[in-house]
Amino acid sequence: MGGSAPRRDCHLPVETTSFVDRRSELAEGRELLSRARLVTLTGPGGVGKTRLAGRIAARVARAFPDGVRFVHLSGLHDPALVPLAVADALGLHDHSERPALDSLVERVRDRRLLLVVDNCEHLPTACAALAGALLRGTTGIRVLATSRHRLGLTEEHLLEVRPLPVPDPDGDLTAADGYPSLALFADRAAAVVPGFRLTPANRSAVARLCRRLDGLPLAIELAAVRMRVLDVHQLLARLDDRYRLLTGGSPAALPRHQTLRAAVDWSHELCDAREQAVWARLSVLAGSFDLEAAEAVCGGAPAGGPATRAPRFGPERSSSSTSPGGESPGGDSPGRAGCPDVLEAVAGLVDKSVLCREVTADGRLRYRLLDSLRHYGLERLRETPGEERAARVRHRDWTQELAAACEREWFGPGQPGIVARLRADRDNIRAALDFSLTTHGEARAGLRLAGTLWFHWHACGAPREGRYWLDRALDANPDPSPERARALWTAGLLAGCPEDLTRGRRRAEEARALAQRLGDPAEAAHADYVIGVIRLFSDDIPGALAHFRAAVARGRAPGQHLSLLGLDHVELACALAFLGRADEAVEVCGEIRRLCAEHGEQWVLSYGERILALAHAVKGDGERAEAHAREALRLKLAVHDVVGIGLTLDLLARIAADRGAHHRAALVLGGADRVWTDVDRDRWGSACLNATRRAAEDRARAAIGAAAYRRSYDGGAALALPELAARVLDDTGEDSETDTGPARPDGHPEEPPAATVRLTRREAQVAALVAEGLANQQIADRLVIARRTAEGHVERILSKLGCSNRSQIAAWVAAQR
């Protein structure tokens, strides 16, 4: 029953600048993927492998019913994290004790998807093992990798990504506009010199410049930025002078890797001292980062604490201030008040194309250093003894303060924002933990950070990675401490499979004993919760009832986290409901609702609502049970609690079956099983959890017959989670055997249209012009705005619509009309 259903979601990086023509490579890449299951794009740094891989993936996406997923590896340094990063990109929530790669292969065995793995060169062995395991263990997964070197597998097909072709500067240049290297230079130059275009007067100089830069896209982009202060002939002359110095006056060309190095060196020299220092310090940040993180790492704060205030997490958005690039960063960024030097340097680095700007799905602005530029920055940072460690300590301390701020505010209204923030910063969390656990004298800080993130590992669907870091941190910190007690019970809390429950309980008991010896009542109470919940998951319902009744009677321990206090009540109500004592369970749920309402909390409340639904189902009040279960699902969707979503869908199926809505029960079960496929098909082997699902299936199948049950079940399994949730949250109560839309050629239903998205008036204008085929500069000219402003609008439109390219915007506009 628990097989994978087609999901056809496409998770590719949003393009924020135009893509130069690589028709032959695009065609060759598509052709290779049609006959090979492992294709590696190889080539030097700065040649454009990542952009090309994204374009190829977008072109072939329709051939993969389970979609396309993109995995960035540039921020990873530990080979053991590669399968965990892939599982994260695929939305898997592994609780098992099996080796991570084996578990990954098992979960995706029946899927048909394209996995794009970017920047494999620094983790070649782990990436080769990943690709080999997927090729051997699955039949429907294809891998598109980017690397400076081949992975070395016999099944691997290589596509060499060459620099862009450049015409002969002294030849016939009448058709020069058709050369992508010149087109790229002209496009990027027009971004800083509005109206710039190729003319008979400048074509030869541009061609000579691009030839000097070996047609390397990154080198061309960095050079084009200088058009802000130099014309193309001056730019070429300056570049010729630099190359003569590098070659000792020889006319011989530089090796290609030195060409890029020379271009980056030149960009670095054209930065002022402040920008150079910020570039170097930012290189310790992994993946993308926001202005707060940049200020913390670059602000020169002492190693004992971050340079900025802790962020707030809530719906408030700032509209009166802007950050580098002209966009509002959102949230409570302290950069507008605290670190003007860093702010100005970041703005300068954005203008010089050293930093890339990215806009998140919720409209927040982040930055990224391209991999080649990040490695260059690290080299510069290491030129000053002690500077790299100091920057990494500042980064780690900022990450700790971020985690602590998130934990403090977790029991409150900002939970969805906290989930999004920590997910956006997962590469930086990994980097901070790795630094702490591999650097002498920093292990205690790593233990503290891993334990502070207990709610992230547990509530946000990262149990496997949480156990990985906690195991490492506990091994590195054997001495008794409050941090060790916290890490022990957190590791126990993340035990989610039968074979791990025994070890989890031992760790929680060790944590409780240690906390009691240290006189720490809060950590003792937290550990006590874990012991009780493991008893509940081990189907010791009477023992769990006695345990949580005693915990609730004791009341809140000094310093106990309100989330875990609330969960004490949730598990008490759960045990009562499982034992049929529904009225008592309803009474306890009333306490949960009052506590959560007082603080505007959603995650614990979602479990309270689910248990309230279970209690009313036990009482036979299906209408009230369904209302509370729907509310639980709505709350769980807000914080993307995947385990909670699966549990609630199981309960909704049972309620539907109890109410005689058997087609609806089958449809919901199909969707529930699809959700559980990403967690654990067997629901951790729990008799109580499986009994809920089995009761719904047995009743529905008996009522409507096996064939009708299967049709409705398959219809639910074919729905992506947003569409399934919309169907389930519809309160019409209809129970008919409905189809799920017109079929695709592969027999699966077509994807439903995207939900209505609200664009601002200006965004709607820009979207309409994109649909007409206008480029960013043409849009800027039409609306009389800056090109950068037009680019920002396009970025936000892509983000809001969930699109990966301009063609999809055009399709959306057509659909609206």
Side-chain angles (χ1 to χ4, degrees), residues 49 79 105 114 234 468:
K49 300 183 292 295
V105 172
L114 174 64
Q234 293 171 320
Y468 170 79

Side-chain angles (χ1 to χ4, degrees), residues 454-583:
W454 67 268
F455 63 97
H456 172 64
W457 310 129
H458 180 49
C460 305
R464 184 65 180 255
E465 183 167 349
R467 290 209 308 269
Y468 170 79
W469 290 115
L470 288 160
D471 287 346
R472 283 186 59 184
L474 286 165
D475 288 345
N477 293 271
D479 295 334
S481 66
E483 291 87 354
R484 181 172 173 83
R486 164 71 67 94
L488 282 167
W489 68 253
T490 303
L493 180 63
L494 300 180
C497 56
E499 60 267 29
D500 195 35
L501 289 176
T502 301
R503 185 176 74 143
R505 180 164 177 172
R506 281 200 307 267
R507 283 187 154 180
E509 289 171 343
E510 182 184 348
R512 183 173 62 180
L514 175 57
Q516 289 170 342
R517 287 202 311 272
L518 295 172
D520 192 329
E523 299 300 1
H526 298 156
D528 195 60
Y529 165 76
V530 177
I531 294 168
V533 82
I534 289 176
R535 295 182 75 172
L536 190 63
F537 269 86
S538 301
D539 297 321
D540 178 13
I541 310 303
L545 174 61
H547 182 99
F548 285 112
R549 194 182 291 283
V552 169
R554 282 195 302 270
R556 186 184 184 188
Q560 183 180 4
H561 199 283
L562 281 173
S563 288
L564 292 166
L565 176 68
L567 288 174
D568 278 337
H569 288 74
V570 167
E571 311 307 352
L572 173 59
C574 183
L576 288 166
F578 279 156
L579 292 172
R581 297 160 68 168
D583 289 331

Side-chain angles (χ1 to χ4, degrees), residues 506-707:
R506 281 200 307 267
R507 283 187 154 180
E509 289 171 343
E510 182 184 348
R512 183 173 62 180
L514 175 57
Q516 289 170 342
R517 287 202 311 272
L518 295 172
D520 192 329
E523 299 300 1
H526 298 156
D528 195 60
Y529 165 76
V530 177
I531 294 168
V533 82
I534 289 176
R535 295 182 75 172
L536 190 63
F537 269 86
S538 301
D539 297 321
D540 178 13
I541 310 303
L545 174 61
H547 182 99
F548 285 112
R549 194 182 291 283
V552 169
R554 282 195 302 270
R556 186 184 184 188
Q560 183 180 4
H561 199 283
L562 281 173
S563 288
L564 292 166
L565 176 68
L567 288 174
D568 278 337
H569 288 74
V570 167
E571 311 307 352
L572 173 59
C574 183
L576 288 166
F578 279 156
L579 292 172
R581 297 160 68 168
D583 289 331
E584 294 176 74
V586 170
E587 183 179 350
V588 175
C589 287
E591 292 294 324
I592 297 168
R593 298 177 83 188
R594 282 189 288 274
L595 176 66
C596 294
E598 182 181 341
H599 295 272
E601 202 276 347
Q602 300 179 64
W603 179 62
V604 172
L605 178 61
S606 72
Y607 281 95
E609 292 287 344
R610 177 181 166 272
I611 301 304
L612 199 52
L614 176 62
H616 284 297
V618 171
K619 294 175 67 175
D621 188 345
E623 184 176 354
R624 295 179 74 178
E626 188 162 15
H628 287 295
R630 283 179 177 149
E631 178 63 10
L633 180 62
R634 186 187 67 78
L635 292 168
K636 290 181 181 301
L637 288 166
V639 295
H640 200 61
D641 177 3
V642 176
V643 171
I645 290 169
L647 291 168
T648 306
L649 289 172
D650 281 348
L651 180 56
L652 278 161
R654 172 190 162 172
I655 294 169
D658 288 346
R659 302 187 73 190
H662 301 297
H663 290 289
R664 188 180 184 88
L667 181 141
V668 175
L669 276 177
D673 282 351
R674 171 175 170 166
V675 171
W676 279 105
T677 298
D678 291 342
V679 181
D680 187 318
R681 286 190 178 102
D682 298 325
R683 290 151 173 81
W684 306 309
S686 168
C688 290
L689 298 183
N690 281 288
T692 300
R693 187 212 176 282
R694 194 162 47 247
E697 177 179 353
D698 291 346
R699 183 169 296 186
R701 189 188 291 274
I704 61 177

